Amino acid sequence: MPRLQPLRYPQRIEARYRRLLHGYVQDMKVDPKILTSDPRWRQDALADDLADLVDALRARFRGLWSESRIRAAVEDIYNRVNKQNVRQFNVQWSKVIPSVDPLPDPELKAAFVNENVRLIKSIDARYFDEIERLVLDAIANGTRVESLRDDIRGRYGVSKSRASLIARDQIGKVVGQMTRKRQQDAGVEQATWSTSLDERVRRTHREVEGRKYDLNGPGLLVGGKRLFPGQDYQCRCSSIPVVPGFI
């Protein structure tokens, strides 16, 4: 019997999203010297001035990255994922029926955009809050300037890693949701779990490779949790529809 292939994970779009978020993090990066060069460093009176400076840096960044700019960037990422998903879905289903017209899903788009705007804005909110806390704690505890500068640089690295995580996690989730919705719209009732078949696949997902599950059910039992492909943390798995006459 002929075989239906799983839809490919959009690696290039994930990489594009990651670059976008790394640019976002780069723009919010604070030069530690700006906060540690004041000759009054050991004076408690400096604390209010430095807190005001952090607020000014936060406001400057938010002027550069307004919510409307973030939203437009996220919508572009969604549209790119959707376009690839539609194209691959049509190729996959061309083996079953001559043509398919996957329906748009405005609710899924709105949910993805709103959640990703929230996640992105949380990156800078957390970063600037932590920078302010580090500075004020350093003044209160008499921390050496060199140590504080290292701590501030470290917070930038944490923010960049979190940006990469968001890109990887959110692309996997929306691809899984798109695919499942389109399979349901096409009348499919069951699918088989398909991993990326590489060394990055976690053990619990590798163990369910090829297993069937109901699209309208609670999901497949994976590592003690009921899940659909893409739903788990940073999951790149996909699904193959169960169609009579195909394997």
Side-chain angles (χ1 to χ4, degrees):
M1 288 188 292
R3 178 184 296 273
L4 292 178
Q5 298 298 320
L7 307 188
R8 295 191 309 276
Y9 181 80
Q11 294 279 8
R12 292 184 179 180
I13 301 175
E14 182 201 306
R16 186 185 190 92
Y17 196 17
R18 185 170 58 250
R19 289 194 299 271
L20 171 73
L21 296 186
H22 284 180
Y24 182 89
V25 171
Q26 178 64 37
D27 285 344
M28 76 182 189
K29 185 177 182 180
V30 172
D31 183 351
K33 293 181 180 178
I34 294 176
L35 299 172
T36 56
S37 59
D38 195 300
R40 298 175 297 151
W41 176 250
R42 297 295 180 184
Q43 300 178 23
D44 291 341
L46 180 60
D48 289 342
D49 290 343
L50 286 176
D52 289 343
L53 177 55
V54 173
D55 285 343
L57 292 170
R58 188 198 313 260
R60 182 199 67 80
F61 173 76
R62 289 181 175 172
L64 182 64
W65 280 92
S66 64
E67 180 166 330
S68 60
R69 181 183 177 187
I70 298 171
R71 187 169 293 274
V74 172
E75 286 180 350
D76 176 67
I77 293 296
Y78 178 91
N79 291 337
R80 290 173 183 275
V81 174
N82 184 57
K83 183 178 180 180
Q84 175 173 318
N85 190 263
V86 168
R87 183 173 60 249
Q88 291 190 19
F89 190 82
N90 274 316
V91 170
Q92 183 187 67
W93 277 82
S94 66
K95 297 180 180 180
V96 182
I97 54 180
S99 64
V100 179
D101 184 17
L103 298 174
D105 191 339
E107 291 184 2
L108 176 58
K109 180 175 182 177
F112 175 82
V113 171
N114 290 336
E115 174 65 2
N116 279 260
V117 169
R118 183 190 69 80
L119 288 170
I120 293 170
K121 291 176 68 176
S122 73
I123 297 174
D124 67 275
R126 184 181 300 182
Y127 176 73
F128 285 109
D129 285 349
E130 290 177 345
I131 294 299
E132 182 173 352
R133 178 185 58 78
L134 286 171
V135 170
L136 298 183
D137 286 352
I139 292 174
N141 299 325
T143 303
R144 295 172 60 250
V145 169
E146 292 78 9
S147 295
L148 174 60
R149 289 176 178 174
D150 288 341
D151 289 341
I152 292 174
R153 294 187 187 99
R155 299 324 300 171
Y156 169 78
V158 170
S159 296
K160 188 173 182 179
S161 295
R162 184 159 180 261
S164 296
L165 183 153
I166 289 172
R168 186 162 53 247
D169 182 63
Q170 290 297 301
I171 294 297
K173 281 181 168 55
V174 75
V175 169
Q177 291 167 340
M178 283 179 181
T179 302
R180 181 181 172 218
K181 179 67 165 57
R182 286 181 171 134
Q183 289 171 343
Q184 290 173 318
D185 289 344
V188 177
E189 296 182 353
Q190 287 189 314
T192 59
W193 191 287
S194 177
T195 71
S196 299
L197 298 175
D198 60 28
E199 68 282 355
R200 291 169 56 192
V201 176
R202 68 199 81 179
R203 176 184 56 80
T204 53
H205 290 207
R206 189 166 56 248
E207 289 173 348
V208 297
E209 167 73 28
R211 290 191 190 175
K212 291 182 182 180
Y213 61 93
D214 292 332
L215 286 171
N216 298 311
L220 187 63
L221 188 61
V222 183
K225 298 182 290 184
R226 290 286 178 181
L227 298 169
F228 292 103
Q231 188 177 0
D232 206 0
Y233 184 71
Q234 300 188 71
C235 176
R236 298 170 296 134
C237 296
S238 185
S239 62
I240 303 174
V242 175
V243 179
F246 290 84
I247 59 172

Coordinates of all heavy atoms in Angstrom, one line a residue, residues 70-111:
I70 N 5.7 44.4 17.6 CA 5.8 43.0 18.0 C 4.7 42.1 17.3 O 5.0 41.1 16.8 CB 5.8 42.8 19.5 CG1 7.0 43.6 20.1 CG2 5.8 41.4 19.9 CD1 6.9 43.7 21.7
R71 N 3.5 42.7 17.4 CA 2.4 41.9 16.9 C 2.5 41.7 15.4 O 2.2 40.6 14.9 CB 1.1 42.7 17.2 CG -0.2 42.0 16.8 CD -1.4 42.8 17.4 NE -1.4 42.7 18.9 CZ -1.9 41.7 19.6 NH1 -2.5 40.7 19.0 NH2 -1.9 41.7 20.9
A72 N 2.9 42.7 14.6 CA 3.1 42.6 13.2 C 4.2 41.5 12.9 O 4.0 40.7 11.9 CB 3.5 43.9 12.6
A73 N 5.3 41.5 13.7 CA 6.3 40.5 13.4 C 5.8 39.1 13.7 O 6.1 38.1 13.0 CB 7.5 40.8 14.3
V74 N 5.0 38.9 14.8 CA 4.5 37.6 15.1 C 3.5 37.1 14.1 O 3.4 36.0 13.7 CB 3.9 37.6 16.5 CG1 3.1 36.3 16.8 CG2 4.9 37.9 17.6
E75 N 2.7 38.0 13.6 CA 1.7 37.7 12.5 C 2.4 37.2 11.3 O 1.9 36.3 10.6 CB 0.8 38.9 12.2 CG -0.2 39.2 13.3 CD -1.1 40.4 13.0 OE1 -0.8 41.1 12.0 OE2 -2.1 40.6 13.7
D76 N 3.5 37.8 10.9 CA 4.3 37.4 9.8 C 4.8 36.0 10.0 O 4.7 35.2 9.0 CB 5.5 38.4 9.6 CG 6.4 37.9 8.4 OD1 5.9 38.0 7.3 OD2 7.5 37.5 8.7
I77 N 5.3 35.7 11.2 CA 5.7 34.3 11.4 C 4.6 33.3 11.3 O 4.7 32.3 10.7 CB 6.4 34.2 12.8 CG1 7.7 35.0 12.9 CG2 6.6 32.8 13.2 CD1 8.8 34.5 12.0
Y78 N 3.4 33.6 11.9 CA 2.3 32.8 11.7 C 1.9 32.5 10.3 O 1.7 31.4 9.9 CB 1.1 33.3 12.5 CG -0.2 32.5 12.4 CD1 -0.4 31.5 13.3 CD2 -1.0 32.6 11.3 CE1 -1.6 30.7 13.1 CE2 -2.1 31.8 11.1 CZ -2.4 30.8 12.1 OH -3.5 30.0 11.9
N79 N 1.9 33.6 9.5 CA 1.5 33.5 8.1 C 2.5 32.6 7.3 O 2.0 31.8 6.4 CB 1.4 34.9 7.5 CG 0.3 35.7 8.0 OD1 -0.7 35.2 8.5 ND2 0.4 37.0 7.9
R80 N 3.7 32.7 7.7 CA 4.7 31.8 7.0 C 4.5 30.4 7.4 O 4.6 29.5 6.5 CB 6.1 32.3 7.4 CG 6.5 33.6 6.8 CD 7.9 34.1 7.3 NE 8.2 35.4 6.8 CZ 8.8 35.6 5.6 NH1 9.2 34.6 4.8 NH2 9.1 36.9 5.2
V81 N 4.3 30.1 8.6 CA 4.0 28.7 9.1 C 2.8 28.2 8.4 O 2.7 27.0 7.9 CB 3.9 28.6 10.6 CG1 3.5 27.2 11.0 CG2 5.2 29.0 11.3
N82 N 1.7 29.0 8.4 CA 0.5 28.6 7.8 C 0.6 28.3 6.3 O 0.1 27.3 5.8 CB -0.6 29.7 8.0 CG -1.9 29.2 7.5 OD1 -2.5 28.2 7.9 ND2 -2.5 30.0 6.6
K83 N 1.4 29.1 5.6 CA 1.6 28.9 4.2 C 2.3 27.6 3.9 O 1.9 26.8 3.0 CB 2.4 30.1 3.6 CG 2.6 30.0 2.1 CD 3.3 31.2 1.6 CE 3.6 31.2 0.1 NZ 4.3 32.4 -0.4
Q84 N 3.3 27.3 4.7 CA 4.0 26.0 4.5 C 3.1 24.9 4.8 O 3.1 23.8 4.1 CB 5.3 26.0 5.3 CG 6.0 24.6 5.2 CD 7.3 24.6 5.9 OE1 8.1 25.6 5.8 NE2 7.6 23.6 6.7
N85 N 2.3 25.0 5.9 CA 1.5 23.9 6.3 C 0.4 23.6 5.3 O 0.1 22.4 5.0 CB 0.8 24.3 7.7 CG 0.1 23.1 8.3 OD1 -1.1 23.0 8.2 ND2 0.8 22.3 9.0
V86 N -0.2 24.6 4.7 CA -1.2 24.5 3.6 C -0.6 23.8 2.4 O -1.1 22.8 1.9 CB -1.8 25.8 3.2 CG1 -2.6 25.7 1.9 CG2 -2.7 26.4 4.3
R87 N 0.6 24.2 2.0 CA 1.3 23.6 0.9 C 1.6 22.2 1.1 O 1.3 21.3 0.2 CB 2.6 24.4 0.6 CG 3.3 23.9 -0.7 CD 4.5 24.8 -1.0 NE 5.5 24.9 0.0 CZ 5.7 26.0 0.8 NH1 5.0 27.1 0.6 NH2 6.6 26.0 1.7
Q88 N 2.2 21.8 2.2 CA 2.5 20.4 2.5 C 1.2 19.6 2.7 O 1.2 18.4 2.3 CB 3.4 20.3 3.8 CG 4.7 20.9 3.6 CD 5.7 20.6 4.8 OE1 5.4 19.7 5.5 NE2 6.7 21.4 4.9
F89 N 0.2 20.2 3.3 CA -1.0 19.4 3.5 C -1.6 19.0 2.1 O -2.1 17.9 1.9 CB -2.0 20.3 4.3 CG -3.3 19.6 4.7 CD1 -3.3 18.8 5.8 CD2 -4.5 19.7 4.0 CE1 -4.4 18.1 6.3 CE2 -5.6 19.0 4.4 CZ -5.6 18.2 5.5
N90 N -1.6 20.0 1.2 CA -2.1 19.7 -0.2 C -1.3 18.6 -0.9 O -1.8 17.8 -1.6 CB -2.1 21.0 -1.0 CG -3.4 21.8 -0.8 OD1 -4.5 21.2 -0.8 ND2 -3.3 23.1 -0.6
V91 N 0.0 18.7 -0.7 CA 0.9 17.6 -1.3 C 0.5 16.3 -0.7 O 0.4 15.3 -1.4 CB 2.4 18.0 -1.1 CG1 3.2 16.8 -1.5 CG2 2.7 19.2 -1.9
Q92 N 0.4 16.2 0.6 CA 0.1 15.0 1.3 C -1.3 14.4 0.9 O -1.4 13.2 0.5 CB 0.1 15.2 2.8 CG -0.2 14.0 3.7 CD -0.3 14.3 5.1 OE1 -1.3 14.9 5.5 NE2 0.7 13.9 5.9
W93 N -2.3 15.3 0.8 CA -3.6 14.8 0.5 C -3.9 14.6 -1.0 O -4.9 14.1 -1.4 CB -4.6 15.8 1.1 CG -4.8 15.4 2.5 CD1 -4.1 15.8 3.6 CD2 -5.8 14.6 3.0 NE1 -4.5 15.2 4.7 CE2 -5.6 14.5 4.4 CE3 -6.9 13.9 2.5 CZ2 -6.4 13.7 5.3 CZ3 -7.7 13.1 3.3 CH2 -7.5 13.0 4.7
S94 N -3.0 15.1 -1.9 CA -3.1 14.9 -3.3 C -3.1 13.4 -3.6 O -3.6 13.0 -4.7 CB -2.0 15.6 -4.1 OG -0.7 15.1 -3.8
K95 N -2.5 12.6 -2.7 CA -2.5 11.2 -3.0 C -3.8 10.5 -2.6 O -4.0 9.4 -3.0 CB -1.4 10.5 -2.1 CG 0.0 11.0 -2.5 CD 1.1 10.4 -1.6 CE 2.5 10.8 -1.9 NZ 3.5 10.2 -1.0
V96 N -4.6 11.2 -1.9 CA -5.9 10.7 -1.4 C -7.1 11.2 -2.3 O -7.9 10.4 -2.8 CB -6.2 11.0 0.0 CG1 -7.5 10.4 0.5 CG2 -5.0 10.6 0.9
I97 N -7.2 12.5 -2.5 CA -8.2 13.1 -3.3 C -7.5 14.2 -4.1 O -6.5 14.8 -3.8 CB -9.3 13.7 -2.4 CG1 -8.8 14.7 -1.4 CG2 -10.2 12.7 -1.8 CD1 -9.8 15.3 -0.5
P98 N -8.2 14.6 -5.3 CA -7.5 15.5 -6.2 C -7.1 16.8 -5.7 O -6.1 17.3 -6.0 CB -8.5 15.6 -7.3 CG -9.4 14.4 -7.2 CD -9.4 14.0 -5.8
S99 N -8.0 17.4 -4.9 CA -7.7 18.8 -4.4 C -8.3 19.0 -3.0 O -9.3 18.4 -2.7 CB -8.2 19.9 -5.3 OG -9.6 19.8 -5.4
V100 N -7.6 19.8 -2.2 CA -8.1 20.1 -0.9 C -7.9 21.6 -0.7 O -6.9 22.2 -1.1 CB -7.2 19.3 0.2 CG1 -7.7 19.7 1.6 CG2 -7.3 17.8 0.0
D101 N -8.9 22.2 0.0 CA -8.8 23.6 0.3 C -8.8 23.8 1.8 O -9.9 24.0 2.4 CB -10.0 24.4 -0.4 CG -9.9 25.9 -0.2 OD1 -8.8 26.3 0.1 OD2 -10.9 26.6 -0.4
P102 N -7.7 23.7 2.4 CA -7.7 23.9 3.9 C -8.3 25.2 4.3 O -7.9 26.3 3.8 CB -6.2 23.8 4.2 CG -5.5 23.1 3.1 CD -6.3 23.6 1.9
L103 N -9.2 25.1 5.3 CA -9.8 26.3 5.8 C -8.9 27.1 6.7 O -8.1 26.6 7.4 CB -11.1 25.9 6.5 CG -12.2 25.1 5.8 CD1 -13.3 24.7 6.7 CD2 -12.7 26.0 4.6
P104 N -9.0 28.5 6.6 CA -8.3 29.3 7.5 C -8.8 29.2 8.9 O -10.0 28.8 9.1 CB -8.5 30.7 7.0 CG -9.8 30.7 6.2 CD -9.9 29.3 5.6
D105 N -8.0 29.5 9.9 CA -8.5 29.3 11.3 C -8.1 30.6 12.0 O -7.1 30.7 12.7 CB -7.8 28.1 12.0 CG -8.4 27.8 13.3 OD1 -9.1 28.7 13.9 OD2 -8.2 26.7 13.8
P106 N -9.0 31.6 12.0 CA -8.7 32.9 12.6 C -8.5 32.8 14.1 O -7.8 33.6 14.7 CB -9.9 33.8 12.2 CG -11.0 32.8 11.8 CD -10.3 31.7 11.2
E107 N -9.2 31.9 14.7 CA -9.1 31.7 16.2 C -7.7 31.2 16.6 O -7.2 31.7 17.6 CB -10.2 30.8 16.7 CG -11.6 31.4 16.6 CD -12.6 30.4 17.3 OE1 -12.2 29.4 17.8 OE2 -13.8 30.8 17.2
L108 N -7.2 30.3 15.8 CA -5.9 29.8 16.1 C -4.8 30.9 15.9 O -3.9 31.0 16.7 CB -5.6 28.6 15.2 CG -4.1 28.0 15.3 CD1 -3.8 27.6 16.7 CD2 -3.9 26.9 14.3
K109 N -5.0 31.7 14.8 CA -4.1 32.8 14.6 C -4.1 33.8 15.7 O -3.0 34.2 16.2 CB -4.4 33.5 13.2 CG -3.5 34.6 12.9 CD -3.8 35.2 11.5 CE -2.8 36.3 11.2 NZ -3.0 36.9 9.9
A110 N -5.3 34.2 16.1 CA -5.4 35.1 17.2 C -4.8 34.6 18.5 O -4.1 35.3 19.2 CB -6.9 35.5 17.4
A111 N -5.0 33.3 18.8 CA -4.4 32.7 20.0 C -2.9 32.7 19.9 O -2.2 33.0 20.9 CB -5.0 31.3 20.2

